[in-house]
Amino acid sequence: MAKDKTQFVCQACGAAYPKWQGRCDACGEWNTLAEETPTPRGPGPAAKAGGGRRVEFVGLKGHSAPPPRIPTGIAELDRVLGGGLVAASAVLVGGDPGIGKSTILLQAAARVASAGGRVLYISGEEAVEQVRLRAARLGLTESPMALAAATSLRDIIASLEQESEAALVVIDSIQTVWLDALDSAPGTVAQVRACAAELIRLAKARGFAIVLVGHVTKEGTLAGPRVLEHMVDATLYFEGDRGHQFRILRAVKNRFGATDEIGVFEMTGTGLVEVANPSALFLAERRGNVAGSAVFAGIEGTRPVLVEIQALLSPSSGGSPRRQVVGWDSGRLSMLMAVLESRCGMSLGQNDVYLNIAGGLRIAEPAADLAVAAALVSAATDRPTDPDRVYFGEVGLSGEIRQVSQAEARLREAAKLGFGRATLPRRVARGGKAPAAPDGIALTETGHMADLVAVFAEQTVKPRKAGG
């Protein structure tokens, strides 16, 4: 008999090679190639298997009802999903170990089951008793959901094919499921791809929603091939520090809703509790009259969120100053410091710079530039920012302050939380009318970073002379 040909597959990106090599040419990672047997295929190409049927083409104009939703009973989770789970859809949930993936899914599955839906929870990492202990701690033991512990794909498929009324299936996690037709170990690229494809195919055919839990790498991205994210309908990431009580669930892909939508939760002894007003929670421990602190009015998905940005400058003890950033892009911090030095005449290069987004939220939008700059200038001049003021705006390399989207929504959120002033880019009239400001908010429009620095320079108190 002919020997099965093997290939070496990169465990980081999924690229395949006929022989082993130390470095993957596709992604540049070292020592990530593992020997695997290709997925067995039927004899002959698909075209010879039989005749196909004609595909019907339709026009773009038409009326179709939105897909029916399955409410999870958790408002923040439904917000991220776009209104709830969609029947016959596949959702991939990733996050660091211990961040709360299994907890939130167990809570959601229990509520769907209590509402009358048939829910199947299949655990591949924990035994049935371990899941029962978590359910008892969360107070979910009375839920009618069905629980099983299995890792064999054949057993899982055979069990799911006998369930005709299932509404939701949870697989925790996809890296533990294995197919005996492949020689590779569970969690490898071939196993993850084959198992996920078969489970998603069954979900589409049977009409139940399936949620797959995925592991993450040390860089924080989902482990396994990128094709796994392309196969699912929605990809959700859990963000936050395990030592912090806040958890942020972010949608980075959603075929049935908005992307970059976030849900905010608080980890308690009885599970994850949704936070309806995250801005108030992020600012609950904020202290006014402290140098190096500024409030940023941001937008996460469709929701305005106010967070505190903290900056600290200290003289560098070595020849290479440190730049430590938590929750923001370190490259953008370097760019802002260069603009402050080159365009505004500030001297920051000899200081260690520490920047933190309070609350564990990760900010990616450029609108945070102005708030970060305000925190840096405040820390450098040792003058606190106005505690009644919020900041938002994008900074260009020439020091200009650029417009950002949804300014009115940011201002409304600031007014709702009691802020009375805002520093923002100069508003440009669109269609002959400039954006209106909510009642009770005094606007300070600025066009250049030098204007921001000048405000703190005027407030700086000159040091007393010796003996004065």
Side-chain angles (χ1 to χ4, degrees):
M1 295 181 60
K3 183 179 178 181
D4 292 338
K5 292 184 62 178
T6 60
Q7 59 184 358
F8 295 87
V9 181
C10 176
Q11 304 303 304
C13 67
Y17 301 90
K19 61 181 181 179
W20 186 88
Q21 58 190 43
R23 182 176 182 270
C24 175
D25 296 334
C27 64
E29 295 290 334
W30 288 87
N31 299 323
T32 58
L33 269 63
E35 185 177 6
E36 295 182 3
T37 303
T39 305
R41 299 178 179 178
K48 297 181 180 179
R53 60 181 178 86
R54 184 179 181 274
V55 178
E56 181 182 358
F57 293 91
V58 297
L60 292 177
K61 186 177 180 180
H63 300 281
S64 59
R69 300 278 182 170
I70 305 174
T72 63
I74 303 176
E76 290 294 300
L77 179 57
D78 288 339
R79 168 192 284 270
V80 176
L81 290 170
L85 291 166
V86 177
S89 67
V91 179
L92 179 63
V93 180
D96 294 333
I99 199 70
K101 303 184 298 296
S102 300
T103 299
I104 189 65
L105 291 179
L106 189 61
Q107 290 179 259
R111 296 193 183 188
V112 173
S114 300
R118 174 69 171 166
V119 178
L120 308 176
Y121 192 101
I122 302 175
S123 175
E125 297 184 347
E126 298 176 308
V128 171
E129 291 302 325
Q130 291 176 300
V131 180
R132 284 175 173 172
L133 286 175
R134 181 186 294 113
R137 187 174 70 252
L138 301 177
L140 306 175
T141 53
E142 300 301 324
S143 173
M145 61 179 289
L147 175 65
T151 56
S152 172
L153 180 65
R154 293 186 186 275
D155 297 342
I156 295 174
I157 293 297
S159 302
L160 295 181
E161 286 180 343
Q162 299 178 12
E163 295 285 344
S164 59
E165 299 181 355
L168 173 62
V169 176
V170 179
I171 306 294
D172 187 8
S173 66
I174 188 61
Q175 270 80 12
T176 61
V177 182
W178 60 281
L179 177 63
D180 55 6
L182 301 177
D183 294 334
S184 53
T188 56
V189 170
Q191 289 281 4
V192 170
R193 182 192 293 116
C195 294
E198 189 64 23
L199 289 170
I200 294 173
R201 180 201 61 79
L202 184 62
K204 301 290 184 183
R206 293 284 180 170
F208 58 80
I210 187 168
V211 179
L212 307 176
V213 179
H215 295 173
V216 295
T217 63
K218 59 184 179 181
E219 291 82 12
T221 59
L222 280 165
R226 299 293 297 185
V227 69
L228 181 60
E229 298 184 49
H230 296 310
M231 289 191 296
V232 298
D233 299 304
T235 303
L236 312 182
Y237 276 98
F238 250 117
E239 301 175 359
D241 188 358
R242 282 184 295 176
H244 208 283
Q245 71 267 32
F246 302 135
R247 301 288 190 273
I248 292 93
L249 183 64
R250 185 186 302 273
V252 297
K253 172 189 176 182
N254 194 350
R255 291 173 178 164
F256 305 105
T259 57
D260 283 334
E261 190 71 74
I262 67 167
V264 183
F265 300 88
E266 183 179 5
M267 178 63 78
T268 65
T270 57
L272 288 166
V273 179
E274 51 188 323
V275 178
N277 189 357
S279 298
L281 189 63
F282 288 142
L283 300 177
E285 301 179 5
R286 177 175 176 262
R287 296 177 56 191
N289 202 31
V290 177
S293 173
V295 178
F296 165 56
I299 294 289
E300 294 291 340
T302 59
R303 164 187 285 175
V305 177
L306 269 60
V307 293
E308 180 185 6
I309 296 179
Q310 301 171 336
L312 176 65
L313 275 66
S314 63
S316 177
S317 58
S320 179
R322 297 189 61 184
R323 305 287 184 262
Q324 194 71 30
V325 184
V326 178
W328 206 51
D329 184 14
S330 58
R332 204 153 187 91
L333 173 63
S334 300
M335 185 204 74
L336 276 180
M337 293 180 59
V339 171
L340 288 172
E341 291 187 350
S342 301
R343 307 298 183 186
C344 304
M346 298 191 67
S347 179
L348 306 174
Q350 299 303 315
N351 295 306
D352 293 334
V353 180
Y354 302 90
L355 186 73
N356 177 51
I357 308 299
L361 182 67
R362 294 185 181 274
I363 296 177
E365 61 170 336
D369 290 350
L370 189 58
V372 173
L376 289 173
V377 177
S378 172
T381 58
D382 198 24
R383 301 298 299 174
T385 60
D386 185 355
D388 197 31
R389 184 179 297 274
V390 298
Y391 298 83
F392 61 89
E394 181 183 355
V395 176
L397 289 180
S398 62
E400 78 279 9
I401 311 298
R402 296 176 175 267
Q403 286 284 324
V404 296
S405 62
Q406 304 186 53
E408 294 184 5
R410 302 172 196 265
L411 294 173
R412 284 195 300 267
E413 181 72 9
K416 186 174 70 174
L417 292 180
F419 287 88
R421 301 180 184 88
T423 299
L424 69 163
R426 290 176 180 169
R427 295 176 293 168
V428 179
R430 296 179 180 177
K433 183 179 179 181
D439 295 335
I441 289 262
L443 304 183
T444 302
E445 299 182 2
T446 179
H448 197 274
M449 287 283 287
D451 301 334
L452 177 70
V453 176
V455 173
F456 289 91
E458 294 173 359
Q459 299 175 354
T460 304
V461 179
K462 296 182 180 180
R464 295 183 179 179
K465 296 181 180 180

